[in-house]
Amino acid sequence: MVNVYEDRIEFVSLGGLVSGLELKSIFLGVSQSRNPNLAAVFYRMRLIESYGTGIGKIERAYKACPFQPEFETAKGVFRVTLPNRNEEQEAEVQKIDCANNDISLDEQKNLIIQYARENGSITRKEVEDLIGAGTTKAFRLLKELCEADKLEQKGSGKLSAYFIK
């Protein structure tokens, strides 16, 4: 189940952790998908890059944030609660998120466009390095720039490059 609220999103997996797996094990890097079909759908939608990397990415994404994700387990249920990192942005007219407190989202998009113009193209990894963002944010910004007809995507997956339209 996925529950979406203004201040958070909750992912609830009925059935709890995979048999023999403890919450401590997950934070040590052990990974076993409870729902391989859901993981496969997320992978095909390019919402995840690979299996078993989610908890680490979540922890890195919230590292500098004042509010942290919660991981809870009880008999028959596992829940991850992710605070909305964009809530303050919306309230304060798009201030930058936790990873970079210096420039606005519009300025970040302008940096991406400028880089693509100067270098002929830009990749998701280059966006991450350019603005100090994680994979998800870099992908989201590139997608928004494509939807706004500023950039055009060529290639797919990790081989994608983005060109000025």
Side-chain angles (χ1 to χ4, degrees), residues 100-157:
N100 186 339
N101 293 319
D102 299 325
I103 60 175
S104 72
L105 289 174
D106 287 336
E107 289 171 318
Q108 288 183 1
K109 288 179 183 179
N110 287 336
L111 282 174
I112 293 167
I113 291 168
Q114 180 182 352
Y115 183 97
R117 189 172 285 123
E118 291 173 1
N119 295 282
S121 68
I122 192 165
T123 64
R124 179 198 40 81
K125 178 68 175 137
E126 289 170 331
V127 170
E128 290 176 29
D129 295 339
L130 180 67
I131 64 173
T135 302
T136 303
K137 181 175 180 182
F139 178 75
R140 180 176 45 98
L141 289 174
L142 287 165
K143 182 178 175 186
E144 288 174 9
L145 287 167
C146 287
E147 289 171 353
D149 286 329
K150 304 270 186 186
L151 293 177
E152 179 179 7
Q153 179 181 353
K154 294 187 180 173
S156 62

Side-chain angles (χ1 to χ4, degrees), residues 31-100:
S31 173
Q32 188 172 0
S33 180
R34 157 76 48 205
N35 188 335
N37 293 329
L38 180 61
V41 168
F42 282 173
Y43 182 77
R44 282 189 222 116
M45 293 174 65
R46 297 185 188 157
L47 295 174
I48 61 172
E49 292 177 356
S50 60
Y51 300 83
T53 61
I55 300 291
K57 284 185 180 186
I58 290 169
E59 289 180 316
R60 287 189 300 277
Y62 284 87
K63 186 176 182 179
C65 293
F67 31 80
Q68 295 296 305
E70 292 179 30
F71 302 89
E72 302 167 275
T73 187
K75 187 174 183 178
V77 68
F78 176 69
R79 179 171 64 184
V80 177
T81 303
L82 303 177
N84 182 354
R85 296 183 340 162
N86 299 313
E87 187 175 49
E88 288 182 30
Q89 290 177 358
E90 293 164 5
E92 298 179 23
V93 189
Q94 290 196 335
K95 275 190 174 178
I96 198 57
D97 72 68
C98 305
N100 186 339

